[in-house]
C-alpha cells in the first residue's frame, strides 16, 4: 500500500462544503482505506459523534496551530 497523507490516530480538521452536512471541527483518522480507484479515502470519527464517516482526502487538512 502506498503511503498516505494522514495516518491512523492523527487529529485533522474537516472542511465544510455546501453539500457536505458534517459538522466542522476536529476529527480523528481511524484508518486509511485501500485505494483501488479515485481519491484516497479515510474512515474518520468527528468529535461529539459516535459513528464513523468515510471522507475523501481533499476534505481533510492538518490542524493549524497558532
Amino acid at each position: 500500500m502506498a503511503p498516505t497523507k494522514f495516518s491512523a490516530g492523527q487529529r485533522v480538521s474537516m472542511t465544510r462544503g455546501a453539500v457536505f452536512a458534517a459538522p466542522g471541527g476536529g476529527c480523528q483518522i481511524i484508518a486509511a482505506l485501500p485505494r483501488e480507484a479515485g481519491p484516497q479515502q479515510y474512515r474518520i470519527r468527528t468529535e461529539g459523534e459516535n459513528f464513523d464517516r468515510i471522507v475523501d482526502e481533499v476534505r481533510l487538512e492538518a490542524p493549524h496551530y497558532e
Side-chain angles (χ1 to χ4, degrees):
M1 187 166 151
T4 58
K5 184 175 180 179
F6 304 109
S7 58
Q10 186 175 352
R11 306 282 309 159
V12 295
S13 295
M14 189 168 30
T15 60
R16 294 178 65 127
V19 186
F20 199 61
C27 54
Q28 184 173 15
I29 301 290
I30 304 300
L33 300 179
R35 186 172 182 185
E36 296 175 12
Q40 175 66 53
Q41 293 183 316
Y42 296 86
R43 180 180 303 278
I44 65 163
R45 181 157 298 174
T46 306
E47 294 174 1
E49 294 182 329
N50 60 356
F51 57 90
D52 296 346
R53 294 176 181 268
I54 304 297
V55 296
D56 291 347
E57 186 172 80
V58 298
R59 292 273 184 206
L60 302 173
E61 59 186 25
H64 302 284
Y65 298 106
E66 296 181 20

